[in-house]
């Protein structure tokens, strides 16, 4: 069973962002599967790396959208993205050094962070843009 089950609750109604969020959810689920499959270090490292790269791609794309539309809470939103990336990078470095293991707690942190970010912060910009007819 996947750790993070996507549902329409997470849809913003902005297709490009929804597709990217779904890809991030898949990346988190893949990492969870890698963890459950016996913690093969190489597989886990590769999967964390994929999650980090795709997270950066998505955040950049979302930040471009927010900038293009003149979203007023952009600075705060970007700060949250940066804080998340640096936490995941920290974890990645510690994992590479053998100082931490990939645990259920880490997986829950990733899942909960993404779920609440989409439901609260991302939904805020989607509502703001829709109210102004900035997205279809
Ligand atoms: Fe975001």
């Amino acid at each position: 069973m996947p750790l993070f089950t996507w549902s329409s609750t997470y849809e913003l109604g902005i297709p490009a962002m929804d597709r990217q969020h779904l890809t991030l959810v898949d990346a988190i689920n893949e990492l969870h599967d890698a963890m459950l499959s016996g913690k093969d270090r190489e597989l886990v490292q590769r999967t964390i790396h994929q999650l980090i790269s795709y997270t950066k791609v998505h955040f950049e794309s979302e930040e471009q959208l927010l900038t293009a539309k003149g979203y007023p809470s952009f600075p705060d939103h970007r700060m949250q993205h940066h804080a998340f990336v640096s936490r995941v990078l920290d974890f990645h470095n510690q994992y590479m050094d053998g100082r931490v293991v990939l645990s259920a707690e880490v997986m829950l942190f990733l899942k909960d962070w993404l779920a609440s970010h989409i439901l609260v912060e991302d939904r805020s910009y989607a509502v703001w843009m829709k109210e102004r007819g900035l997205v279809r």
Side-chain angles (χ1 to χ4, degrees):
M1 194 168 124
L3 175 72
F4 192 149
T5 305
W6 180 264
S7 78
S8 56
T9 323
Y10 298 102
E11 276 170 18
L12 303 179
I14 302 175
M17 293 302 112
D18 289 334
R19 271 196 305 274
Q20 292 180 10
H21 285 154
L22 188 51
T23 305
L24 272 183
V25 166
D26 285 344
I28 287 177
N29 284 332
E30 263 179 52
L31 184 57
H32 187 235
D33 287 347
M35 183 191 86
L36 294 179
S37 73
K39 303 186 182 178
D40 171 339
R41 280 193 74 78
E42 207 181 299
L43 176 66
V44 170
Q45 279 168 20
R46 212 171 43 235
T47 320
I48 296 174
H49 184 75
Q50 278 167 1
L51 174 64
I52 293 171
S53 333
Y54 193 74
T55 300
K56 287 180 175 171
V57 167
H58 164 62
F59 285 173
E60 268 171 38
S61 165
E62 197 174 74
E63 288 168 15
Q64 271 173 22
L65 174 75
L66 302 190
T67 310
K69 305 293 182 187
Y71 182 56
S73 307
F74 172 70
D76 183 55
H77 200 111
R78 185 178 52 182
M79 230 158 61
Q80 297 202 16
H81 286 171
H82 284 190
F84 179 70
V85 169
S86 61
R87 276 192 77 172
V88 180
L89 282 174
D90 266 3
F91 172 77
H92 181 59
N93 290 336
Q94 292 183 16
Y95 183 83
M96 298 291 279
D97 294 349
R99 282 180 285 148
V100 285
V101 292
L102 182 58
S103 61
E105 281 103 320
V106 173
M107 288 312 311
L108 265 184
F109 162 75
L110 295 173
K111 182 210 157 188
D112 289 346
W113 188 90
L114 184 62
S116 84
H117 184 75
I118 293 173
L119 292 174
V120 181
E121 278 83 18
D122 291 347
R123 171 146 298 154
S124 294
Y125 77 66
V127 168
W128 184 88
M129 285 177 196
K130 283 180 195 162
E131 279 172 356
R132 285 155 187 81
L134 297 173
V135 285
R136 272 172 288 152

